[in-house]
């Protein structure tokens, strides 16, 4: 029995166990039963508020977390402005972007960004999507977003740009939204093994193995865009080398609780 | 009897009926009598506050709504800073920009922007005018404001620019204000079937079939200007294609209650 | 007896009468005696707070008003950050920049900006000085600040730039401050009949016949700088023509109470 | 006995006396014993909050002060976001970046910036480090940050740029952090006798003989960057001459209590 078959079998078993345990349980029930689900959902609400306060999302944009008690589902608010999201607004979705537990509230049209990435990237546990203005010009002009400092070292060799026209069928003209499973898959494939992708004429997606890191990356991708954009007008910027980016990311991403505490404090005080 | 004559006759009948019903009634009386007038005026006050909070207007600028009980009048504050406007500051105007119900408070000098558009565009129920700095450079340099993302897809093929010198008579030098019926008509004609027009050396006008949508378009036109301006410095931006703009606008403008709730919440908390 | 002699004689008589009436009276005494002094000093305090709130000054910068009861003196805070200024911080100065009424608190080093302009420009009743970042690039590069819209039509044909090196003697190298009567006169002469002047490597001065108008002009000069700077990157901006500027200024400056009420409300709520 | 030997002997004696007096005393104990330590630590806490409020640091960045009771130690918070720092978060470090008094809380990885500068620059009593976005493009493109106005005259002939690759051994690829004594020394040497240094792909360091002045310089270096960056797009900026910079710095840095009072007031009100 080779590795792929083994992994698939294990995933199936995990899925079945999880289904039997948590399947039809509401988000609130799962929070009561699993401490890590409780933590995840509470951090997800906080992440919504932080992303708005830090200008990584506005009235649009969304953030999700993979269910720690079931890798085949994820938590995401129903269609609300991020700053308004509370615990009872969180819905559980499956890997096809279907709402579970009979939830019939209007979902985000682009929940397929999340399901597409969770399905294709088992290492990813949190996904952020937003339209921060500083990031848009890069996608519009085909300019690669590259790390200008240690804080955004996760950008590595530079962020790929998702051109929806290449994947939309049969008509390349779309409403620009990642509104089905095929486009979610296409986005995940453009992203590849990166943790950041720009969407031409739309926005960005940021991913990580934790909510806190996905939020951190979203905030500092915007900062990177502001700095790089200005540096490009001033001259020929020296980006982090590949070696610098790898080392800086390893060091910096161990410290992300420091800004997380600050950002949490800010939104709690509001 | 041809269509134009029929339409004119119907408009006249509607006008006479409305006059007899609502003619001399104060704004407060109409609010008491017609629930949709009450809603419209309350949303209009909120829209004033939101436009200021979202930097689409400053101490100047104004927003109006067509009277839902009488298509031949509209509601607009008297000459106040938008953030200060309350229900009792709202005045009813006719299609020539005259205040009704004997209201003698100083009106905005540019109420003719509103009357001109309502007269020429029966599909428009709300008009916003402001001077947001990010939009000015486009009119000043003759650069077409075009949609850079789905949020501002309503910009379509690009916003026309109103050059007041072409219409001012006999002297092309004016005080830059749309301060009479002729200039209001000229502005409406420059706008054509668009829902956004830039005014050289002055500002912008945004229109829609509802207050919420006119506010939405004003806020995202400013965002579009910020993004497009930066993208033009970075390279050659890829705008939404005509097909993308049409589809994106249809989808996005169904979701405008999401930011409206957020923006309302912000100004209510102040 | 020619006009100049007559005017001088009248000024002397006015001065002597005012001295006998208000000469040794403290600011508080004059406020108690003259309602227009009370209004002027109260507006001056408010103007300090508004200029800070509207980003026309920061921890530095100052605003003064000519004494309505004595054209040969003016009111200005002692050396404090504008946002901290209260009524009892206001000092009366003579036309040579000397503090009156025995006030020994540290004065602003650049009170000679104010005395120089009041001495040379009898039409000016209020002077603002600040370092707003958006305005600096114009003085640094010799770019003329010109009116891009009706709100800043007072900029007319464009603001002159004060180059302190041309006037400092014997050494052209100074501390950049207008720190004596000779430099105050030189600044006033560079300003000429304009109401706005840029100071290379330093900031700006704005003047008017009233506090409210001087504040208005400071705020909208900054807005003009932001817009013009961006427009210059985008293309070849069309400024207001001379005729447009004259007409727009006449119209707009009648409406300045509208933003003044808004700005006052903002700083009162803080 | 030559001067260097004499100075070294005196430093040693001072060190031994200080050690015997304050050596093992906690920060709180030293505050109780020495009024100038109490003032220094209290100002340090305030400086942390001000730097955040004035956008000179964000969730990262730090500020230190040399111990007034012992020139061979300095005070710096443990690894916290600056806006969160309180008195009991302050740790005492020696000239090798080791925490004293048995403090085992996680220190900032870059405390060697501080120890390196204190060791090499006996005139420096306070050090600020941050990542303000407006400053980054200068280091990235090798553009010299030069004084555009009197407020930032301390920039003198222009700020040097620290290129960590020139000093990292054996591998020039680092995590970009000044994370040991050798790099701290290298940074101090690049800084030389300046009071400001840019770090390529990282941020800036600002120094002074007092906390207030180091904070002042950080805030106005950011302002200078914003203005210079914009001026470079507009044309060929005229910087302060050497003579102007020397004179302006002497004058302006006597007035820094004015903005300090304002900034303190702002953070106390939050």
């Amino acid at each position: 029995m080779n590795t792929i078959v083994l992994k698939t079998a294990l995933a199936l078993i995990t899925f079945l166990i999880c289904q039997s345990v948590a399947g039809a349980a509401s988000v609130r029930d799962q929070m009561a039963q699993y401490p890590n689900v409780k933590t995840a959902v509470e951090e997800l609400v906080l992440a919504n508020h932080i992303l708005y306060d830090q200008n990584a999302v506005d009235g649009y944009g969304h953030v999700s977390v993979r269910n720690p008690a079931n890798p085949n589902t994820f938590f995401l608010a129903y269609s609300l402005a991020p700053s308004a999201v509370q615990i009872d607004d969180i819905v559980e979705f499956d890997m096809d972007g279907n709402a579970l537990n009979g939830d019939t509230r209007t979902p985000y049209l682009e929940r397929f960004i999340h399901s597409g990435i969770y399905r294709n990237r088992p290492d990813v546990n949190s996904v952020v999507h937003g339209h921060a203005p500083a990031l848009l010009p890069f996608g519009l002009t085909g300019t690669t977003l590259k790390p200008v400092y240690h804080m955004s070292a996760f950008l590595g060799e530079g962020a790929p740009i998702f051109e929806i026209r290449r994947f939309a069928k049969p008509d390349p003209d779309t409403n620009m939204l990642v509104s089905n499973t095929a486009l979610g898959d296409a986005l995940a494939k453009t992203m590849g093994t990166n943790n950041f992708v720009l969407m031409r004429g739309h926005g960005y997606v940021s991913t990580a193995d934790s909510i806190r890191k996905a939020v951190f990356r979203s905030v500092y991708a915007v900062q990177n865009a502001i700095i790089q954009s200005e540096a490009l007008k001033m001259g020929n910027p020296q980006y982090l080398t590949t070696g610098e980016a790898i080392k800086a990311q390893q060091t910096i991403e161990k410290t992300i609780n420091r800004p997380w505490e600050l950002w949490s404090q800010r939104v709690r005080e509001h």
Side-chain angles (χ1 to χ4, degrees), chain A:
Chain A
M1 201 157 73
N2 68 26
T3 318
I4 290 172
V5 174
L6 188 64
K7 276 191 179 165
T8 309
L10 276 169
L12 187 64
I13 293 164
T14 307
F15 174 76
L16 292 173
I17 293 171
C18 291
Q19 284 299 98
S20 65
V21 174
S26 74
V27 176
R28 281 282 188 192
D29 285 349
Q30 293 182 63
M31 288 175 72
Q33 196 171 355
Y34 306 104
N36 53 2
V37 172
K38 184 168 185 294
T39 301
V41 173
E42 285 171 354
E43 286 207 347
L44 184 61
V45 170
L46 206 49
N48 271 278
H49 303 176
I50 288 172
L51 288 165
Y52 177 71
D53 187 51
Q54 296 295 317
N55 299 312
V57 301
D58 62 357
Y60 291 85
H62 20 86
V63 50
S64 67
V65 64
R66 197 189 286 269
N67 186 348
N70 181 351
N72 296 302
T73 70
F74 64 95
F75 298 116
L76 174 71
Y78 79 94
S79 180
L80 277 180
S83 62
V85 170
Q86 299 300 334
I87 288 178
D88 289 323
D89 304 321
I90 302 297
V91 181
E92 190 178 11
F93 291 91
D94 69 16
M95 291 292 122
D96 294 318
N98 300 313
L100 299 177
N101 315 312
D103 201 306
T104 57
R105 291 175 290 185
T106 310
Y108 291 122
L109 294 170
E110 297 199 286
R111 57 198 179 279
F112 305 99
I113 292 175
H114 303 265
S115 58
I117 289 172
Y118 288 127
R119 212 171 38 238
N120 286 278
R121 285 279 300 274
D123 61 312
V124 167
N125 291 321
S126 183
V127 176
V128 174
H129 167 60
H131 310 148
L135 285 161
L136 264 287
F138 291 84
L140 290 167
T141 59
T143 306
T144 305
L145 187 75
K146 299 182 76 173
V148 294
Y149 67 165
H150 56 320
M151 304 305 296
S152 46
F154 66 88
L155 291 171
E157 304 283 313
I161 299 173
F162 176 66
E163 172 51 83
I164 197 168
R165 301 183 70 80
R166 272 192 235 133
F167 303 99
K169 285 176 187 164
D171 186 354
D173 280 339
T174 63
N175 63 8
M176 303 303 289
L177 300 185
V178 175
S179 53
N180 60 47
T181 295
L183 288 170
D185 273 340
L187 176 68
K189 265 151 204 166
T190 298
M191 182 175 236
T193 57
N194 293 282
N195 281 300
F196 200 83
V197 63
L198 292 163
M199 304 158 86
R200 191 269 307 166
H202 186 156
Y204 71 91
V205 170
S206 173
T207 62
D209 57 5
S210 73
I211 295 178
R212 293 181 182 208
K213 204 180 283 175
V215 168
F216 175 89
R217 287 172 178 170
S218 305
V219 173
Y220 280 103
V222 175
Q223 294 299 307
N224 192 93
I226 291 168
I227 296 166
Q228 185 178 348
S229 173
E230 214 43 28
L232 284 167
K233 291 170 211 153
M234 199 178 275
N236 196 13
Q238 161 78 41
Y239 300 104
L240 295 195
T241 66
T242 304
E244 286 171 345
I246 291 169
K247 291 183 179 177
Q249 182 182 357
Q250 281 169 351
T251 304
I252 291 300
E253 293 192 344
K254 283 176 195 150
T255 69
I256 61 174
N257 284 340
R258 202 193 305 170
W260 178 266
E261 289 309 322
L262 164 65
W263 298 335
S264 303
Q265 182 70 13
R266 282 177 59 94
V267 298
R268 280 200 196 99
E269 279 171 5
H270 282 197

